[in-house]
Amino acid sequence: MATASPTSQEFSPLTYEQYFDHSEVVDILGSGFQVYSSNFVTNENIDEIFFFIHGAAFSALSFALCSKELVELSEGKSAVIAADLRGHGHSSSNNDTDISIDVLTSDLDSILKHLYQDRSLGPHRMFLVGHSLGGSVATHLCNTITHDPDSKINVCGLALIDCIEETALRSLENADLALRSMPPRFESPNHAIAYMHCTNQIKNIEVFQIMSDLLSPIHISPYFPFLAPFHQSCRVSVPPRIVRETPQGQWVWRTDLLASKKHWNNWFLGFTDIFLAQTCPKLLCVSNASLLDTPMTIAQMQGKFEFRCLPHCGHHIHEDDPREVARMLLLFSTHMGR
């Protein structure tokens, strides 16, 4: 393996502009939510809208590459929207640690209502796509929308990426230790990108570069003796995960997950039943089929949702192989009839 310095160009941050054509901050009761989109503002002649919801401690830019691939593969017939959750990325609120499942769901429901109020989007088909925690939020959001008689949102599909209730709850048992074992700060966004890639948390370098806006400097040079073969994902998705402590200081994690520990179990507890109760077409994509819990295994055998496994990916499937995930989502939407 070749050595690489965290200060090298290979770990330099990327910005959203080459992945999304629009960025805006949506004001909801004094909180500002960062929203990225493509084809949504500039093109009314679209067939469907994909609304992406990221996982805990990540940001909307974790879907940057997947969004770009999806718009290109659909030949401009699809629009994409991705928003930073409360306490994540470039969103801001008066209580960033109040990230209970109900609050996160309510925030996104309000964001969609705001976007629909500003634009005539009623007839367009909406597909909700969530990764990890975002999968649970997408499920609750789908349930909220479908039970709201006044909602103008036409949800035609629900897709989960590596989100399984039993597996998630089991992983939370060690989450405290895992979070405390991570570097608390970085010298630069480049160092954060290198850390995430070289510890194999995200295999695609480009996504990391986009996320570097959010880190605040940590000393992590001992963590990167080698550079594994890489793509570009890390460079775009990691920067928004860190923020600078002071103008001249180091970079720290944007989201303090330990401060929201009381919400962890409720993020996932009971969401399988809600997911299976949704009447719209459903899709589950995982990286390891052996992690399916009993309820989801039975439901999958009964054909209650489409199932895909991409074993060459890690937990961040949409970052590790954005083109394949985009193809999968387009095929899912095509099955629902464009």
Side-chain angles (χ1 to χ4, degrees):
M1 286 181 156
T3 60
S5 167
T7 59
S8 71
Q9 184 64 26
E10 291 142 329
F11 292 117
S12 62
L14 300 175
T15 58
Y16 81 89
E17 285 91 348
Q18 58 190 289
Y19 304 95
F20 296 99
D21 63 34
H22 185 73
S23 169
E24 65 181 293
V25 175
V26 174
D27 181 80
I28 305 294
L29 299 177
S31 294
F33 293 94
Q34 175 63 58
V35 178
Y36 304 97
S37 62
S38 286
N39 258 12
F40 178 64
V41 176
T42 58
N43 184 8
E44 295 184 358
N45 299 314
I46 55 176
D47 290 326
E48 64 263 322
I49 302 167
F50 291 88
F51 186 55
F52 292 116
I53 307 172
H54 65 82
F58 273 73
S59 82
L61 291 181
S62 65
F63 279 101
L65 273 73
C66 183
S67 295
K68 182 177 180 180
E69 294 281 4
L70 198 153
V71 171
E72 291 178 352
L73 289 172
S74 72
E75 298 180 339
K77 295 180 180 179
S78 298
V80 295
I81 306 171
D84 286 340
L85 295 175
R86 175 186 295 259
H88 292 73
H90 296 299
S91 289
S92 61
S93 72
N94 54 12
N95 190 348
D96 277 354
T97 62
D98 185 8
I99 51 177
S100 67
I101 191 67
D102 290 339
V103 168
L104 295 176
T105 301
S106 176
D107 286 342
L108 294 186
D109 186 40
S110 296
I111 290 171
L112 284 179
K113 286 178 178 177
H114 174 89
L115 295 175
Y116 269 65
Q117 179 179 333
D118 283 356
R119 302 170 180 92
S120 178
L121 298 172
H124 291 299
R125 303 182 310 143
M126 170 75 73
F127 290 86
L128 303 177
V129 183
H131 167 247
S132 196
L133 167 61
S136 179
V137 176
T139 298
H140 285 267
L141 179 60
C142 183
N143 191 58
T144 296
I145 292 171
T146 55
H147 285 85
D148 180 359
D150 298 322
S151 178
K152 299 178 181 179
I153 302 170
N154 180 24
V155 176
C156 292
L158 171 63
L160 309 186
I161 300 176
D162 231 33
C163 182
I164 303 167
E165 179 178 339
E166 187 175 299
T167 302
L169 290 172
R170 192 163 55 244
S171 70
L172 288 176
E173 296 173 3
N174 300 312
D176 193 310
L177 180 61
L179 289 171
R180 294 182 189 280
S181 68
M182 295 176 68
R185 50 185 45 81
F186 299 91
E187 291 180 7
S188 70
N190 297 53
H191 284 76
I193 292 167
Y195 168 75
M196 291 296 290
H197 180 64
C198 294
T199 56
N200 211 33
Q201 295 190 47
I202 301 177
K203 301 177 182 180
N204 189 318
I205 284 287
E206 189 173 1
V207 164
F208 283 131
Q209 285 181 299
I210 293 180
M211 292 169 82
S212 54
D213 295 329
L214 305 177
L215 287 177
S216 18
I218 274 188
H219 185 74
I220 53 172
S221 46
Y223 294 94
F224 334 92
F226 302 104
L227 172 63
F230 63 83
H231 301 292
Q232 295 299 307
S233 183
C234 303
R235 297 169 62 193
V236 66
S237 71
V238 169
R241 299 183 60 185
I242 51 175
V243 293
R244 206 158 199 168
E245 285 183 302
T246 65
Q248 303 301 321
Q250 292 188 321
W251 297 77
V252 298
W253 298 108
R254 160 69 175 93
T255 304
D256 184 358
L257 287 181
L258 288 173
S260 61
K261 186 176 180 178
K262 64 181 180 181
H263 300 302
W264 290 358
N265 277 354
N266 285 333
W267 284 347
F268 300 100
L269 193 63
F271 100 87
T272 295
D273 290 339
I274 301 174
F275 173 72
L276 296 176
Q278 301 310 299
T279 56
C280 66
K282 297 176 286 292
L283 167 70
L284 172 65
C285 177
V286 300
S287 58
N288 186 345
S290 68
L291 296 180
L292 273 182
D293 56 24
T294 300
M296 290 294 268
T297 298
I298 294 173
Q300 189 266 328
M301 294 175 67
Q302 294 174 338
K304 293 187 177 180
F305 57 86
E306 290 190 32
F307 179 70
R308 289 288 305 278
C309 181
L310 301 181
H312 62 286
C313 296
H315 176 53
H316 306 282
I317 302 172
H318 56 300
E319 299 192 53
D320 293 340
D321 195 345
R323 176 166 284 263
E324 183 57 32
V325 172
R327 283 198 190 102
M328 175 188 70
L329 292 173
L330 280 176
L331 185 60
F332 177 55
S333 72
T334 300
H335 285 170
M336 303 310 109
R338 278 193 167 187

